[in-house]
Amino acid sequence: MTEIRNHKIPVYAVFFTVLVKLLFLLTHYIQEDAFITWRVAQNLLDYGVIGFNGNDKISASTTHLYVFVSYVFNLIFGKENFIEPLLIFNSILFTTGTLFLSHLLLKNTWHKALFIFLIGILPPAIKISILGMEYGILFFLEMMLLYYGFGKSKKWAQIILPVLIIFTRIDTVIFLGIVFVIDLLWNKKIRWFYILGGILGTAGLLAFNWLYFGEIVNNTIVAKKLAYDKYYTFHQNLDHFIQNFGNFWGMLKLPGDFNPFTIVLLMFEWLCFIYLIRQKDKRNFFLWVIFIFGWIKQLIFLSQKSMFDWYYWIPQILLFVPVLLFVLEQKEKRNLWLALLIVFYSIPMLVFQTVHAIATGNGEWNYRRTIGLFLNSYEKDKSQWIFLEPAGYVPYFSGLKTIDEVGLVDKNVQDEIRKDKKKFWINTIKDRKPKYLLSYDDLLTSENAEYIKLHYKLIKEFRVKDHLKSDHFILQKIYILKPSGSDYNLYERID
């Protein structure tokens, strides 16, 4: 009976960790791009079309599976109440994923429980859980694949899970490919059911994109590549890598180009990894998978100038796993090692993420959301268009039809970029004549001021400084310490 209760300890750790992380819901720290996915889901609910603006089909979200999950939550809880249940669901899925990982790497139930909790309070783990992105589902599916597909050699997992993983994000072919290569080298055999799953997932996604959207890859990938494309020499590429890798391999971003903290962390992760794989253990297969994947995923995305930090959350967590294993499995002075880890790493990281979440949540939810709410009450005709960047909070809460400057939610912008990248912005305005413009800049003094003055008027200024006040002493200090957001100017067409 005692043994049965002990086996439940990691499950209790899952629930406890989720409860701790749910406190972060109070910060309202939700990623801008999550609202793009949620608007796509609601567009499907309202128009029966996967799109962003009415009946126009467009893969404005990076993830198809998460769009469907968001659609289901909107259907069940309603548009006004689905966010919190969905974030709780994401938190449960991610933390359950850490439970699968603990079963693959640890034997002692108390070690598993500590592993689940210590991973769960890392900054990227908190962000995966509460920022509204698809990575909670993705982490759950990937760890489930390792646990059932390769830990227990379940054929159903090898077929079904790759399909779900690829439909969550197309770039997961990196993860699936690395698992296949390491498994082939490790076991000297081919898992044909796994190959079948990969083929079904890849062919199914590409066929769905082509038949439904008339494109091979998601529009978001095409749009970002087109908008952010820039020629770099070899030395510029090298400088770019040196300047940016520190803030993506580490778990906290520091001001400036160079983050020495990350160097120390990377060295310790490597030392722990080498120490662990020298022990002859069947779990080494999974250690190789997660460590090689962590490095390759980061290298590929950083080399492609992918600066959005959510691409790096899962690799950051997986690269840190050997550190946790090393500390938990120390036979001598384990308590000392654990105390050092918690006092000098876990607690400072948790404090850092708490401050960051409170400050950024204020800048996003309490500030940027108010722009959308203002427009929602100011403009009753939801068929009117707004031209802005980015396409998250403001379009979602305003309900207006949207043109974004990258072309994520409107393909016509991409045509303008192809024709004349330098003048695509003003050309889009002249051609489409959106009723509203939202800009970081003072358009009445810009290079296009002559046209703007003739056709638009400034109706409201939104300033970050107006949202850095709180009756709570600690919140007031945090808002001033780390102001979050950008100043905006809102213009309305006058002809």
Side-chain angles (χ1 to χ4, degrees):
M1 196 69 174
T2 303
E3 186 178 345
I4 294 173
R5 284 199 297 267
N6 284 342
H7 279 301
K8 291 183 178 180
I9 289 171
V11 178
Y12 298 149
V14 169
F15 286 108
F16 177 73
T17 305
V18 170
L19 288 174
V20 170
K21 287 198 290 189
L22 290 185
L23 293 172
F24 280 86
L25 295 182
L26 299 174
T27 67
H28 295 295
Y29 179 23
I30 301 176
Q31 177 60 42
E32 180 93 26
D33 284 46
F35 286 100
I36 297 179
T37 297
W38 295 342
R39 171 142 164 176
V40 172
Q42 291 177 357
N43 199 82
L44 178 60
L45 190 67
D46 294 335
Y47 297 94
V49 171
I50 300 175
F52 199 87
N53 295 309
N55 290 314
D56 294 331
K57 295 179 180 180
I58 185 171
S59 53
S61 173
T62 315
T63 168
H64 295 324
L65 181 63
Y66 190 47
V67 165
F68 177 72
V69 171
S70 300
Y71 165 84
V72 172
F73 271 77
N74 271 274
L75 201 61
I76 295 172
F77 296 98
K79 293 180 182 179
E80 303 297 325
N81 303 305
F82 82 96
I83 293 179
E84 285 77 11
L86 181 55
L87 297 183
I88 293 170
F89 178 70
N90 286 345
S91 299
I92 293 171
L93 285 187
F94 171 79
T95 314
T96 304
T98 65
L99 174 66
F100 290 142
L101 189 56
S102 74
H103 288 327
L104 293 171
L105 300 175
L106 292 160
K107 296 176 181 177
N108 184 288
T109 54
W110 284 104
H111 290 175
K112 290 179 183 180
L114 281 170
F115 177 86
I116 291 165
F117 179 72
L118 291 174
I119 275 190
I121 61 173
L122 291 174
I126 292 170
K127 288 185 279 193
I128 285 174
S129 299
I130 62 124
L131 262 67
M133 301 287 277
E134 64 269 21
Y135 289 91
I137 289 178
L138 183 58
F139 188 83
F140 169 78
L141 291 173
E142 289 178 339
M143 297 306 108
M144 191 178 185
L145 173 65
L146 292 181
Y147 180 70
Y148 285 108
F150 292 85
K152 293 186 174 295
S153 297
K154 299 293 185 182
K155 293 180 175 60
W156 63 264
Q158 295 170 19
I159 297 173
I160 295 173
L161 292 175
V163 176
L164 296 176
I165 288 169
I166 291 175
F167 267 85
T168 305
R169 287 189 66 93
I170 193 170
D171 56 55
T172 52
V173 294
I174 299 171
F175 174 80
L176 296 173
I178 289 170
V179 172
F180 172 76
V181 170
I182 294 179
D183 180 57
L184 182 62
L185 296 174
W186 190 271
N187 294 306
K188 304 294 190 299
K189 67 177 182 179
I190 296 176
R191 296 183 193 257
W192 294 105
F193 287 100
Y194 183 58
I195 291 178
L196 175 61
I199 292 173
L200 290 175
T202 305
L205 177 63
L206 297 180
F208 175 74
N209 282 345
W210 178 254
L211 294 173
Y212 192 84
F213 298 109
E215 58 195 21
I216 295 296
V217 297
N218 297 45
N219 175 71
T220 51
I221 298 173
V222 175
K224 288 176 182 178
K225 182 173 177 55
L226 183 64
Y228 302 138
D229 189 38
K230 180 181 176 182
Y231 175 75
Y232 283 82
T233 65
F234 172 78
H235 290 293
Q236 286 174 325
N237 274 309
L238 186 60
D239 289 342
H240 185 273
F241 179 82
I242 293 172
Q243 290 170 5
N244 288 285
F245 90 97
N247 279 335
F248 288 100
W249 256 285
M251 291 189 192
L252 80 163
K253 290 186 178 182
L254 297 176
D257 293 333
F258 184 70
N259 185 346
F261 179 82
T262 301
I263 305 296
V264 176
L265 178 62
L266 283 177
M267 290 176 61
F268 195 55
E269 287 173 349
W270 266 105
L271 289 173
C272 292
F273 175 70
I274 293 169
Y275 171 84
L276 292 171
I277 61 171
R278 290 180 64 186
Q279 305 169 15
K280 302 301 180 182
D281 198 313
K282 64 179 183 180
R283 76 172 181 184
N284 286 3
F285 166 76
F286 299 104
L287 284 173
W288 277 106
V289 167
I290 64 176
F291 207 72
I292 295 298
F293 165 70
W295 271 89
I296 290 181
K297 171 73 181 288
Q298 302 231 49
L299 284 170
I300 290 174
F301 273 73
L302 194 53
S303 70
Q304 297 302 306
K305 316 295 183 304
S306 300
M307 295 294 102
F308 303 110
D309 67 341
W310 48 87
Y311 295 142
Y312 304 86
W313 291 342
I314 290 179
Q316 286 169 357
I317 291 170
L318 295 180
L319 289 175
F320 193 72
V321 165
V323 176
L324 290 178
L325 297 183
F326 171 80
V327 171
L328 290 172
E329 294 184 343
Q330 288 300 305
K331 291 182 172 56
E332 296 181 6
K333 299 182 178 179
R334 179 191 300 127
N335 291 339
L336 175 61
W337 276 99
L338 192 57
L340 291 173
L341 175 70
I342 293 172
V343 171
F344 291 102
Y345 192 84
S346 298
I347 292 177
M349 281 293 181
L350 184 59
V351 170
F352 165 81
Q353 186 56 39
T354 302
V355 171
H356 180 72
I358 291 171
T360 309
N362 177 62
E364 297 292 296
W365 188 264
N366 297 336
Y367 169 56
R368 203 194 303 260
R369 183 177 65 106
T370 59
I371 304 174
L373 293 175
F374 169 81
L375 275 164
N376 186 278
S377 61
Y378 183 84
E379 179 55 73
K380 301 302 181 184
D381 182 3
K382 301 309 176 186
S383 66
Q384 296 296 335
W385 292 81
I386 183 170
F387 188 29
L388 50 60
E389 177 61 27
Y393 274 87
V394 176
Y396 183 87
F397 287 101
S398 71
L400 297 177
K401 290 191 173 183
T402 303
I403 310 166
D404 70 298
E405 295 178 16
V406 176
L408 295 179
V409 304
D410 190 295
K411 286 187 178 181
N412 292 326
V413 172
Q414 297 172 32
D415 295 332
E416 294 292 349
I417 293 175
R418 291 187 184 97
K419 285 189 286 188
D420 189 343
K421 193 168 186 176
K422 290 184 178 180
K423 296 182 179 179
F424 87 93
W425 184 84
I426 190 63
N427 288 342
T428 299
I429 293 173
K430 290 178 179 179
D431 180 53
R432 305 286 294 280
K433 298 178 176 59
K435 185 171 183 179
Y436 298 98
L437 304 176
L438 185 66
S439 176
Y440 303 118
D441 303 319
D442 180 359
L443 299 182
L444 300 179
T445 61
S446 66
E447 62 177 333
N448 300 302
E450 184 178 348
Y451 179 88
I452 298 298
K453 287 177 181 177
L454 281 174
H455 300 283
Y456 289 88
K457 65 177 180 180
L458 177 68
I459 59 171
K460 190 168 180 61
E461 295 177 340
F462 298 92
R463 298 293 180 259
V464 175
K465 62 181 176 62
D466 298 331
H467 291 263
L468 301 181
K469 302 178 181 67
S470 175
D471 295 334
H472 297 89
F473 175 76
I474 295 177
L475 293 181
Q476 175 74 9
K477 290 293 185 183
I478 291 175
Y479 294 162
I480 295 174
L481 173 68
K482 192 182 182 300
S484 180
S486 303
D487 292 338
Y488 287 97
N489 299 305
L490 179 63
Y491 302 85
E492 183 179 5
R493 195 166 183 93
I494 55 179
D495 55 341

